[in-house]
Each structure stands twice: as C-alpha cells, then as structure tokens.
Amino acid sequence: MTGRQTLGWIAVALNCVVSCSWTIWGTVENFHEGWFGKTPGAKLLWSLAYLSAAILWTILGVIAIKWPRVGALAVFSLGISLSIFILATRTHYSLAVILSWLPFMGAFGLIAVFWWFGSPEPKKWAFLLSVGLPLLAFVICAAEPVYRIAHRFDDHFRGTRVVAGNSVKLVWAPEGPGWPDRGVRYADAEQQCRMLSFDGRYLASTPQNFWRLPTVDEVARSMTREGRNAGGYWDRTHKTAQFRVMPDKEAPLWNPETGIIYWWTGSKDANGGVYRMVFDGRVDPLSGKFSMGSLAFRAVREVRSGDDQLSAYAR
C-alpha cells in the first residue's frame, strides 16, 4: 500500500467515525424528541432534520473517495462555515471560547489534509464502508424505538379524561391552557393551573383553584406502555421513578403528535429544584426558571361527583 493510499484510508476511517457518531446521535434524538406530527410526512421531515449531519458527512465521504481534493475542499469549507456561524451567534467572546473551538476546527482541517494527499484503494471497499457503516449504525439504534413507536397506543382523544389505576385516580385537563402543546415556564404552569376553569377549557380572570400540577409520584403511577399501566412509582429513597416496564409517550396522558416530551410536576427536591418528568420515565430536578420548547405540563384535579361521564381510562 502506497503512502497516498494509506492517507486515503485514514481519511475514510476518520470520516466514518464522524458520520457514524452523527448517525447515532441523530437516530437517538430523532426518536426521543423529534418523531412527532400529525402526518407520516411531518415525522419523516423531522427524521431528515435530525439525520442531516450524518447524511451530509456520508455524502462528503463518497465525494472525497471519487474526487479526493474536491472532498478535501468541501470538508475544509464546511468547517470554516460552521465556525463562522457558531462564533457569530455567540453573545460574547473570550479566549476560552475561541480555544474551545480550535479542536473542532482542527478535526475538519485534519480530515481535509488526509483527503487532499490521500486516495483509498480499492475504492469499492471505501464506498461500501463509508455508506454501510452509518447505515448499520442507524439500523441498530433505530430497532428498539421503531418497534416501540409501532406499538404506541393513541386513541386520538385529547379531551378531559379520568385516568385510574395503580392507586391513583385523577381528572386530567383537556388540550388547551391546562395541557399546552408548547413550552411553558414553571411559574406560568402554576399560574395557568390556578386560573384554569373547572372544565379546563379557558383561563379565568381570577384564581379558580380547581387544578394543580400532578406530583411526580402521580405521574409515574399513571404512565403507560402499549395502552397498559407501566407499574410506576416514585422511589423517595433513591429519588428515581421505578417502573415494571419502561413507559412511552402515548395516550391517555401524552399527546404523541406534539413535540412536548417533558412535563413539570408539582414536586420539588431538597434544594428547591422542580422535578421534571420525561415521557420515558426519567426524572430530574430543574431550576424553576429553566425553559425549553419541549417542556410543558398537564394539569390535574381530584375526581368529583359527576366526573363519571368524562372519558374514563383504566387498564
């Protein structure tokens, strides 16, 4: 093997490391937070968005195998463009910020140098590895979430609902101000619960105090998987939610068609942090000032006389 071939295969290896890393990240995040929408097309668009970096690096690798110096220029130009974009979006600059970015830029430059001076042979094996390894990484990472989502329960009912089971029975608010489809700060979530009308459909001008945020234990005990209670509870000793089977983002609690994957709860830790529940059952404390577009809430209230006519759910 010549020196040029050796450098070419090093470039292929480095490119595969980058493309596979982005494939693993993109696949995991896609099915964790990106797989939502009312149509299959909308969900596939989210998949393309999360996998765009992996697809881009795979394409760059294929181009560089065919035309090494064109690929080298493309990789180097991408590194420069990303550096300018990310540094331009910083609100302040410091030597530490610039130095932290140098290794990233160096990686782009190193791969570009290997492509510029190298050319892998035989090219058919280089093509096979550059395309096949990211594809294999995608299949491995997507297998479990694809199976889980295919069995996800959703009756498409977004109204007021009584959910009973696992020693908890509560009325859960309908879609609207008590169950928003966009991010809400903790203080606003508490305020909206206080102002929410009894039917859960509008915010009153004065406190009504019918609704509240559910405790972390109430959410854990109400979570489901494939339409059945997941057997959850809040372990106070270890500060974790325990489940018989990992829950999922499904009805009756969650709306699989929105991007909300985190809920505020009404429980706090010893340091005043508010516990946030993830649809898969993970719990962590956050500052009440924290906000993100995928973090909201769903209000609950106690069951009262006459609530039996609401859409009940108990499995």
Side-chain angles (χ1 to χ4, degrees), residues 173-253:
E175 193 173 46
W179 184 16
D181 59 1
R182 62 186 63 187
V184 178
R185 291 180 181 273
Y186 174 70
D188 295 330
E190 282 195 315
Q191 176 69 2
Q192 287 179 215
C193 287
R194 284 193 295 267
M195 308 299 285
L196 194 61
S197 62
F198 184 74
D199 62 8
R201 300 194 178 279
Y202 67 91
L203 296 177
S205 57
T206 58
Q208 303 297 297
N209 297 318
F210 294 122
W211 302 85
R212 59 177 173 82
L213 291 174
T215 66
V216 66
D217 186 62
E218 289 170 337
V219 179
R221 289 180 178 276
S222 302
M223 300 269 268
T224 62
R225 174 71 176 267
E226 296 183 20
R228 298 187 180 279
N229 191 281
Y233 68 93
W234 176 244
D235 186 333
R236 297 179 183 275
T237 302
H238 298 95
K239 307 300 180 185
T240 60
Q242 303 290 336
F243 295 90
R244 183 183 66 254
V245 59
M246 186 187 85
D248 195 20
K249 182 186 174 184
E250 61 178 37
L253 261 62

Side-chain angles (χ1 to χ4, degrees), residues 164-183:
N166 198 13
S167 304
V168 172
K169 185 176 183 180
L170 293 167
V171 179
W172 295 77
E175 193 173 46
W179 184 16
D181 59 1
R182 62 186 63 187

